[in-house]
Amino acid sequence: MTHTLVPPIGTLALGTVAAAVAAGTGLDAYAVASVVLGVAWAGAAAAALFADRPLLARTAGLVLAAQIAATVWPRVAPVAVVAWLVCALSLPEGLIGSWPRRITATAGLAVAAAWAIWLPVTTGGVIAWIAAAGTAALIGVLVRCPRAPATHRRVLQWVGAAAVVTAAADAVLIALNLLLGMPGDGTLLPWLLAAMVVLPAGLMLAQIPAVSRLAERALVEAVVVAGLGLLVVAVYLVVVIGLGHEPVGAEHDVLLASVMAALIAVVLALPLRFRLVSVGQSMLGRRGRTPEEALASFGARMSRAVPFDELLLQLVESLRATLGPQGAEVWVGTAGLLHLTSSVPERPEAQITLNDSERLVVGRTRIGGNAWLTVWLPALLDGYPAGSLIRVAPAAHLGELLGLLVVRRPPEGVEFTDEDDRVLIELARQVGLALHNMRLDNALQASLEELRQRNEELQASRLRIVTAADASRRAIERDLHDGAQQHLVALSVKLGLVREIIKDDPGMAAELLEELRTDVQNANAAFRELAHGIYPPLLRNHGLGEALRSVTRRVALPYQVNVELPRRYPEQVEAAVYFCCLEAVQNAGKYAGAGATIEVSIQAEKGRLSFAVIDDGVGFDAHGNEGHGFVNMADRLGAIGGVLRVESAPGAGTAVRGDIPIPDTPVSGPAVSRAVGDGGE
């Protein structure tokens, strides 16, 4: 409520003061203008305070104090003028933040104070001060506008608009004084001060949220009105020069009336133009918003969080209201397949299929009419009266056709103009950009979802790997304790027994030593078997072929190995292939059935190492029924960038396949590892 009350309160205060002065308070014209200015600055300070800008309110209060001092003691008028400059330099928050502005403000105050103390203050001097300080303030405000944030820029734009209007008004007053002697020299300064009421009014309007959004339009219209006003003054200056003498008598009165009429026409030109354009549009049957407004509103809605379907529906409604009274449509699609997405009036679902050449031509066309449609998009002519006026603007991005904008008018309707075509082309360009961005966003969301799923899979895989590593360590510990360690304990006991009986019973000691020899061999075999489960020596020394062929004795089914590799590969790659094949072979031995056979094949091609373990056993339903063994194999391959595929069906056997990317650089080891063997030998 406080924001909405500021303008009425300020206006009421200004009106009350003006009425009191007009009623005869005994003040001269200069004092009246100063009092009105002071009240305006009081309103600006209050508005800044309500807008939670205390520093700006304080600065406006200082200007108010300087204005009061200039009213009581006109000699300090230059200081009051520089106070206005300081306020302009402190916008928008009331703080002079840069050294150039601080130096300018300090220098201005120093010169103004020295002038007020040592030099006489005349009307011409004050006008010169107003012109110099006003020019510096206007330049400072407009230079900072483009770089300021949005909220700050609005304040600067409102104050800039007020400054432009004030400068133009003062220029017109000075020109009228020079040309016509009005206002007179005695009242020129009060008139100039009265015109400066616009500045605090602009600062006050900039603090009101409901009005601050109009800052850009206010600045543009202020520049237009000011320029036209100065143009009028320049024209009449030429007229006076043409007369060859100062207007007198009837010439003076006629010239004054014509100047006033021209200035009034300038002020009313813009609103009157908008009204006349609206009337003309209604006479052409284009009621409501203009195409330019539809274009601007679509661009504004694109920057907001509006769902894309809703955005297209609003676009179609705008096109129907501004360009296509018979109907408007938006078609969206890719790869030459376009679907009717939104239409007003609503039409049934439809689609258009374009071949490559048609898609290329349509995507590179700016806009098409009825004749163009008969060649390239005849489907859009169906269902409408013959002679209907149609315009189609392809929505494309970088030559790729992403959609179509279609507007229709009845046969007796108004022809499409160049301006209509321009608006439709620009709308299609924006729609193409929006469709392209939407595709990128969808692709990004899909990538993020894929990354999320892979992250979850990676976390689960890491957990399984850690769990498997712990289980493997426990298994090694158990095998050592239950196997190899027991052999060592038995050896230790027998050695102690041999030491006790070797002197008393050499024959028995010899038998025990022979048993110890056998026990040592068994212990060695146990350790070798344990080491084979960790990393087979055959795999390290001879490669995948020999290592996989060596497991024949542990497979009860007929077993064949085909390995064709041009060279050796890193240990982690060979280990992953070996243990995956071993796991798949053991699974086949358990579940394939008595009459099944197993074939293992490994080959390298195109930068990948591939393996397959295939059996012709009973098979199983592989969809969602993979056991822990398959999960472990997938984790092992996934850790080095490989993938695992399991193919099986009841009665059709099982195939376990894997692919691993392999480096191009050979590793040390045998140049070629080949093994072709029959597990039955």
Side-chain angles (χ1 to χ4, degrees), residues 28-99:
D28 59 12
Y30 172 78
V32 170
S34 294
V35 169
V36 173
L37 272 176
V39 174
W41 276 108
L49 192 61
F50 291 153
D52 196 22
R53 287 191 171 103
L55 294 178
L56 182 59
R58 183 186 65 184
T59 305
L62 292 176
V63 177
L64 172 61
Q67 194 64 44
I68 294 174
T71 304
V72 177
W73 188 24
R75 189 170 185 80
V76 298
V79 178
V81 173
V82 175
W84 290 51
L85 173 62
V86 172
C87 181
L89 294 176
S90 69
L91 293 175
E93 295 294 335
L95 182 65
I96 303 178
S98 64
W99 282 107

Side-chain angles (χ1 to χ4, degrees), residues 319 323-331 347 352 365-394 404-417 420-421 424:
L319 290 175
L323 290 174
Q326 191 180 40
E329 305 161 8
V330 174
W331 298 69
R347 295 184 58 194
I352 299 175
T365 301
R366 287 170 54 83
I367 196 162
N370 293 62
W372 181 84
L373 287 172
T374 57
V375 177
W376 298 106
L377 290 170
L380 293 178
L381 298 173
D382 298 339
Y384 285 89
S388 295
L389 304 177
I390 304 177
R391 281 291 187 274
V392 176
L404 300 172
L405 298 188
V406 183
V407 292
R408 306 175 188 270
R409 292 179 182 176
E412 67 279 4
V414 181
E415 292 284 345
F416 287 97
T417 65
D420 295 336
D421 291 346
L424 193 59

Side-chain angles (χ1 to χ4, degrees), residues 376-637:
W376 298 106
L377 290 170
L380 293 178
L381 298 173
D382 298 339
Y384 285 89
S388 295
L389 304 177
I390 304 177
R391 281 291 187 274
V392 176
H397 184 77
L398 299 178
E400 181 183 4
L401 181 63
L402 302 175
L404 300 172
L405 298 188
V406 183
V407 292
R408 306 175 188 270
R409 292 179 182 176
E412 67 279 4
V414 181
E415 292 284 345
F416 287 97
T417 65
D418 292 341
E419 181 63 18
D420 295 336
D421 291 346
R422 183 193 68 79
V423 171
L424 193 59
I425 291 170
E426 181 61 24
L427 278 171
R429 186 191 67 80
Q430 294 188 14
V431 171
L433 180 61
L435 289 170
H436 175 70
N437 292 338
M438 185 182 69
R439 291 176 60 189
L440 292 180
D441 183 68
N442 291 338
L444 176 61
Q445 295 299 326
S447 298
L448 290 176
E449 178 62 21
E450 183 180 357
L451 286 175
R452 186 189 64 79
Q453 293 178 356
R454 294 214 174 168
N455 182 56
E456 293 177 354
E457 293 174 357
L458 179 60
Q459 290 179 346
S461 174
R462 285 179 174 176
L463 179 60
R464 291 193 296 268
I465 289 173
V466 171
T467 303
D470 291 340
S472 178
R473 284 192 294 268
R474 288 193 297 269
I476 293 173
E477 179 183 5
R478 184 180 61 252
D479 292 341
L480 285 172
H481 181 273
D482 296 342
Q485 184 177 348
Q486 297 303 318
H487 287 288
L488 295 177
V489 170
L491 288 173
S492 176
V493 172
K494 289 184 177 181
L495 284 172
L497 183 59
V498 169
R499 186 183 62 182
E500 294 294 334
I501 68 173
I502 192 168
K503 294 180 180 179
D504 300 332
D505 193 350
M508 180 63 71
E511 293 179 3
L512 288 175
L513 288 174
E514 184 64 27
E515 292 180 8
L516 283 173
R517 180 175 178 276
T518 303
D519 291 342
V520 169
Q521 292 176 345
N522 293 335
N524 185 45
F527 278 111
R528 183 175 298 171
E529 185 70 20
L530 182 61
H532 190 278
I534 298 173
Y535 195 92
L538 278 176
L539 178 61
R540 178 182 296 109
N541 298 328
H542 301 285
L544 285 167
E546 294 296 333
L548 288 172
R549 190 172 59 175
S550 69
V551 302
T552 301
R553 64 180 183 274
R554 289 182 280 174
V555 181
L557 300 176
Y559 172 67
Q560 183 175 351
V561 177
N562 299 300
V563 178
E564 297 183 2
L565 299 177
R567 57 183 174 88
R568 295 293 301 274
Y569 298 97
E571 285 189 359
Q572 65 270 25
V573 173
E574 293 188 343
V577 173
Y578 172 80
F579 285 110
C580 286
C581 291
L582 183 62
E583 180 80 21
V585 168
Q586 291 174 346
N587 287 341
K590 292 179 182 179
Y591 306 112
T597 60
I598 304 172
E599 180 180 357
V600 178
S601 61
I602 303 175
Q603 58 184 356
E605 58 181 358
K606 297 181 180 179
R608 302 191 71 83
L609 183 65
S610 303
F611 69 87
V613 179
I614 303 173
D615 68 72
D616 55 359
V618 297
F620 67 100
D621 185 2
H623 297 290
N625 293 323
E626 296 89 346
H628 293 291
F630 293 124
V631 174
N632 292 337
M633 285 189 277
D635 289 344
R636 187 183 290 273
L637 293 180

